[in-house]
Amino acid sequence: MVQKAKILLVDDRPENLLALEAILSALDQTLVRASSGEEALKALLTDDFAVILLDVQMPGMDGFETAAHIKRRERTRDIPIIFLTAINHGPHHTFRGYAAGAVDYISKPFDPWVLRAKVSVFVELYMKNCQLKEQAELLRLQLAGAGEVKEPVGLLAELSARLAAVEEQAEALSKQLDDESADAAAVATAAHLERKLTGLRRALDALEPGSGGGSPLPSPN
């Protein structure tokens, strides 16, 4: 299940927060209230947010100062901020909002449909970014897992190659003993060696990935 994004609503007036919640409830995301800049900064210490709707005029720490603190923190500097203001002092005031790090600057009264559309864009970007991070982490874990498997697989291949060389030598020795009509003790020793090598080969094959085996290696005695 995809986790909902969190949207931070910052305004010192409860009626404004209630209005924002009514407008944005259709997005079906988690809406978090903050009635001051200080409260907003506290919320940002523990939670991740897709976007911040920040009122400009607030007693104490205003929106510009709050945004400056947000942008100074490494954890929160990339969170998009939409400034909301009931006043309009012209281009200079708007420029100050963008200079403080806002991605958008909306004057009240605003069109609810426009505000909801703007916020939905940032929520979608946030969700896509979260998905990319999850996929990157999953890929990293898969690669790490492949690295863990690669070492024993390489070791098994090396052991198999060495065993094959010994098997060839043992086979050649057995043929040589047969041709030279060697004594019974030598033939018995060669036969015993071949049996041990056969047991080692079965055990090694059982350890190969996908074999479903896992038989222990036979005792050398």
Side-chain angles (χ1 to χ4, degrees):
M1 181 179 295
V2 178
Q3 197 171 21
K4 292 183 178 182
K6 291 184 178 180
I7 303 170
L8 183 58
L9 313 176
V10 189
D11 199 304
D12 63 298
R13 299 173 67 91
E15 62 271 23
N16 290 342
L17 291 173
L18 187 62
L20 288 174
E21 288 176 338
I23 293 170
L24 300 176
S25 60
L27 298 179
D28 193 28
Q29 305 299 326
T30 301
L31 305 177
V32 179
R33 284 189 175 199
S35 58
S36 66
E38 292 84 356
E39 191 174 335
L41 294 176
K42 185 177 180 180
L44 288 163
L45 287 174
T46 55
D47 290 325
D48 294 324
F49 291 90
V51 60
I52 302 170
L53 273 64
L54 181 58
D55 184 41
V56 171
Q57 282 195 306
M58 294 185 295
M61 185 184 298
D62 66 12
F64 296 129
E65 188 178 355
T66 302
H69 282 288
I70 293 172
K71 293 302 178 181
R72 277 198 293 266
R73 293 179 179 175
E74 184 176 356
R75 174 187 172 92
T76 59
R77 64 178 55 167
D78 294 325
I79 302 177
I81 299 173
I82 298 178
F83 272 128
L84 304 176
T85 179
I87 59 175
N88 187 357
H89 292 309
H92 176 73
H93 197 259
T94 303
F95 174 78
R96 186 183 175 191
Y98 287 117
V103 296
D104 211 336
Y105 195 96
I106 302 177
S107 298
K108 302 175 183 177
F110 45 77
D111 186 330
W113 294 94
V114 171
L115 179 63
R116 186 161 53 239
K118 289 178 181 289
V119 172
S120 68
V121 170
F122 291 111
V123 168
E124 184 176 356
L125 289 173
Y126 174 82
M127 301 296 281
K128 292 292 186 184
N129 189 43
C130 289
Q131 291 176 7
L132 288 174
K133 288 181 179 178
E134 290 175 359
Q135 291 172 0
E137 178 63 16
L138 180 61
L139 179 60
R140 186 190 68 79
L141 292 175
Q142 289 175 340
L143 291 175
E148 291 174 1
V149 174
K150 184 177 181 180
E151 183 175 354
V153 168
L155 179 59
L156 287 175
E158 182 178 355
L159 287 174
S160 180
R162 292 186 179 185
L163 181 58
V166 176
E167 287 171 332
E168 289 179 1
Q169 293 175 0
E171 184 180 358
L173 177 61
S174 296
K175 289 180 179 178
Q176 185 178 0
L177 289 173
D178 289 339
D179 293 340
E180 295 177 358
S181 300
D183 59 60
V187 173
T189 300
H192 178 74
L193 177 60
E194 285 188 332
R195 287 195 300 271
K196 287 296 182 182
L197 290 174
T198 300
L200 283 171
R201 171 59 64 188
R202 283 200 300 264
L204 197 59
D205 290 343
L207 293 175
E208 291 289 340
S211 66
S215 303
L217 292 176
S219 170
N221 297 325

